Each structure stands twice: as structure tokens, then as C-alpha cells.
Amino acid sequence: MAPREPSSHRRKQDKKPKEMATGSFRHYGLGFVLLSLLLQLLSVTCTGSSELQSNYYAESCPNAEEIIKQEVAKLYDEHGNTAISWIRNLFHDCMVQSCDASLLLESKHGNGIVSEQASSRSFGMRNFKYVTKIKEALEKECPATVSCADIIALSARDGTVLLGGPRIEMRSGRRDGRESHASVVEEFIPNHNDSMALVLSRFESVGIDAEGTVALLGAHSVGRVHCVNLYDRLYPTVDPTLDSDYAEYLKGRCPMPDPNPEKVRYSRNDRETPMVLDNMYYKHLLAHKGLLLVDQQLASDPTTAPFVEKMAADNGYFQDQFARAMLALSENNPLTGDEGEIRKDCRYINAV
């Protein structure tokens, strides 16, 4: 309960109600004007070039998004797995501190860069050269205008559609970082055999909740897994959470000992619709046919299991949540405004 005012103060209020009301009005009127000015100032500070925007390149490079879309489609027609690479690029770039294209930086004699691509978490990643092709097409149209970070985001958007996934209304205006985050990659990107608690905490650190985490891992609906990441579930004994018939199939794909160690062996994530981003992944989890340990844990962990069941039953729900989570991931701590730079070559920072 609020304390009572002294009676003398109450009497003074009673004596001059009109005067007090007028003074109060003037006081709050002035306060309202000051507040309006402050909000306008904040609006100027927080919008424009300092924020991500829809159709950011409308004036500086009107054809930018269409060029990216066309190049992504062309590369998909030539190399279907590039569509999967675009999604993985976004994940590996944006999960590690910032969506700043640090993933694309390469080590070069004398440049002092340790590439994030050398991390064990980046095992099996390839097709970075195709980002360079998109960048070259953009440089011909609008030199030094479109960032490599935006290429990563917008190519992931367009690649998702080519895989039958949802259209994600991504904003642009990201700038490119001038340093690699190679030393901390493993602090941000979970491993395939980490506990579900750790996986959830890593995603939560970039603003993605449990529902979004389950949806993002649905990207495992497409692509393949190298056998080196499966051996622990198959040998010397089969992981009891793995369907026995499926385990025998995987042993055929990933024999031990390997009769030909030089051969790259792998298994598709989804044998039914291997190049379609759909909810078949979740149906497999419920049938104990998750390839990686982290996949199967989604179906058994009490926090994530309800979302697995819901996504297995409703592909539309899965795609809605996938789009929501991808959008959140694509906007993780981007460099904007005067931060960073627009690289001329996505592989190297600009010469000073």
C-alpha cells in the first residue's frame, strides 16, 4: 500500500486545484515534446544504413538479389548439392559470433589469417568456390557494393526454395568482417555427438529457442553424412537407439575395417526424399533411423521430443518454424553501417 501524504500537503492541493492542474499540464506537455524529440533521434540512429533492411540494394545495386537468385539456380542445375552448401554456409558463418562472412576467409601466405574452414566442425564443407562465382557476377554489375555476408544469407534463402523449402524474407545490409573467428569455432558450433542440453544452449546463445533448434536440424533432411561421423554408432556394437535393420544398411555403407580407406564413404540423410527439405527427417527419427547421435536425441529428449512429433505430423508447421529460425540465425549480430567492409574478393580482406 502507498504511504499517505501529510495532511498539510493535501490541504495545499485543495486550495489551488486549477493552478496546480495548469502547471502539471505545462510540465507534462514539455515532457511529451522532449520525449518525441528523443524518439525521433533514436529512430534516426537505429534505422537506415545502420540496420538490416528489406531490399537494401534497391538503389545501389537494383539487380543484386536477382543476380544472386539466377547464379544460385544456375549452379543448382549444374551441381545439385550446392543448394545444401548454401544452407550450411549460413549456419557455420552466423553461429560463430556474427553473420560477417568470416567463414569464407582463407589462409594466404603473409596475411595472418587462420581459416575457419580448417576447423574440425567444418569437415566435409566445400563449394566455397561457387560463392566466388556469385561475387564475380555482382562485381561486374556493381563493384564494391554487395557484401559477401549478404551473399551467404541470400544464397541460403534461394537454395532453400530450390530444395522445396519455404521462401524466407531475409533482409540485407550486412558488412564483411576483417578477421577470422577460427580460434572459437568449437565454442559456438556443437558437435554431432554433444548432449542435447549443450546443443540447445549453443543455439539459445544466438537467440534460437528449442522449437527453432529442432526445425534447423531439419536441414539434415537433405545431403549426406560421412562415415567417419557414423562409426561410433555402429562399431564395435550398434547404438541401441538405432533401428537394427537400418544399422545393417549403414554397415554396408560404412564397413569396418574399410577395404578402401582412400574412398569417400557416406550415407544419405534421407533415402526417400534425399534432395527435398521436408519433414521426412522427423518421421525417420520417430522410427529410430536418425543418422547422427544429435539427430536421434531430438526424439528422446523431453524438451525437443514434442516438437519432433509435431513436425513429423505437419510439414507446413516444420517449414514455418524452419523459416523463422533461419531468419533469426541470419540476423545474428551482423556488422552494419560503417562497421567492417565490403570485400572485393570474399576469400581475403581488402588491402589497406
Side-chain angles (χ1 to χ4, degrees):
M1 181 178 293
R4 291 173 58 85
E5 296 177 347
S7 59
S8 61
H9 180 66
R10 292 199 304 276
R11 284 194 296 271
K12 288 179 181 179
Q13 284 184 318
D14 294 339
K15 288 181 180 179
K16 299 181 180 180
K18 292 183 180 180
E19 181 180 339
M20 290 294 290
T22 302
S24 177
F25 176 78
R26 289 172 181 167
H27 172 74
Y28 288 117
L30 178 61
F32 179 77
V33 171
L34 291 174
L35 179 60
S36 298
L37 290 173
L38 178 61
L39 289 174
Q40 289 178 23
L41 178 62
L42 288 173
S43 177
V44 170
T45 303
C46 297
T47 57
S49 62
S50 63
E51 256 192 3
L52 300 183
Q53 303 172 23
S54 296
N55 204 16
Y56 176 83
Y57 298 103
E59 295 184 5
S60 60
C61 189
N63 296 324
E65 294 198 20
E66 184 61 27
I67 289 172
I68 293 173
K69 181 180 178 180
Q70 290 177 0
E71 289 296 319
V72 166
K74 186 190 306 180
L75 288 165
Y76 177 74
D77 289 339
E78 297 172 0
H79 315 281
N81 60 8
T82 55
I84 302 165
S85 297
W86 305 134
I87 296 175
R88 194 174 180 193
N89 286 350
L90 179 74
F91 171 73
H92 280 257
D93 187 53
C94 292
M95 277 292 290
V96 185
Q97 293 196 337
S98 170
C99 295
D100 60 359
S102 60
L103 171 69
L104 302 178
L105 290 174
E106 295 183 4
S107 302
K108 185 180 180 181
H109 181 68
N111 71 353
I113 294 290
V114 177
S115 178
E116 293 174 28
Q117 298 171 27
S119 168
S120 61
R121 295 292 195 271
S122 301
F123 176 76
M125 293 189 72
R126 58 195 189 285
N127 294 332
F128 295 116
K129 60 186 177 183
Y130 297 130
V131 177
T132 300
K133 289 193 67 173
I134 296 175
K135 178 64 170 174
E136 290 172 349
L138 288 165
E139 286 296 300
K140 289 179 182 177
E141 178 82 5
C142 312
T145 302
V146 181
S147 71
C148 302
D150 275 342
I151 293 174
I152 288 178
L154 297 175
S155 62
R157 177 195 67 184
D158 297 334
T160 296
V161 172
L162 290 173
L163 291 168
R167 167 78 178 184
I168 305 167
E169 297 303 324
M170 287 187 179
R171 299 187 293 173
S172 47
R174 299 165 189 78
R175 306 262 297 177
D176 301 322
R178 296 191 179 100
E179 61 181 352
S180 166
H181 308 306
S183 63
V184 296
V185 167
E186 295 186 10
E187 296 176 21
F188 289 89
I189 297 181
N191 202 5
H192 61 88
N193 55 6
D194 282 337
S195 69
M196 186 50 57
L198 179 58
V199 171
L200 291 173
S201 70
R202 293 284 171 85
F203 279 94
E204 184 180 13
S205 71
V206 297
I208 297 174
D209 57 18
E211 187 177 28
T213 300
V214 175
L216 278 182
L217 285 174
H220 289 177
S221 171
V222 291
R224 59 189 185 179
V225 173
H226 288 81
C227 287
V228 67
N229 293 324
L230 300 177
Y231 287 138
D232 286 348
R233 299 196 72 199
L234 300 173
Y235 306 102
T237 58
V238 174
D239 182 336
T241 65
L242 194 59
D243 176 81
S244 58
D245 290 338
Y246 190 52
E248 288 305 311
Y249 163 77
L250 291 177
K251 284 184 174 182
R253 298 288 306 175
C254 305
M256 177 67 75
D258 192 338
N260 184 3
E262 298 301 317
K263 183 177 181 180
V264 177
R265 297 185 182 277
Y266 63 88
S267 179
R268 289 284 180 187
N269 286 326
D270 175 358
R271 294 162 64 192
E272 282 78 8
T273 56
M275 292 297 290
V276 179
L277 186 65
D278 59 15
N279 67 336
M280 189 63 71
Y281 167 77
Y282 303 101
K283 295 178 181 180
H284 288 161
L285 298 187
L286 296 178
H288 298 279
K289 294 181 179 180
L291 267 185
L292 297 170
L293 181 60
V294 68
D295 296 324
Q296 198 56 57
Q297 285 184 115
L298 287 177
S300 59
D301 186 274
T303 300
T304 55
F307 299 124
V308 170
E309 293 175 0
K310 192 171 179 180
M311 290 180 193
D314 188 341
N315 188 56
Y317 165 68
F318 155 61
Q319 294 207 346
D320 287 345
Q321 295 307 312
F322 183 82
R324 178 181 69 87
M326 282 282 282
L327 183 60
L329 181 61
S330 75
E331 298 188 358
N332 178 39
N333 194 30
L335 302 180
T336 57
D338 296 328
E339 299 175 304
E341 64 183 14
I342 304 297
R343 287 184 215 145
K344 297 176 182 177
D345 184 328
C346 292
R347 299 171 296 175
Y348 311 111
I349 59 175
N350 296 337
V352 179

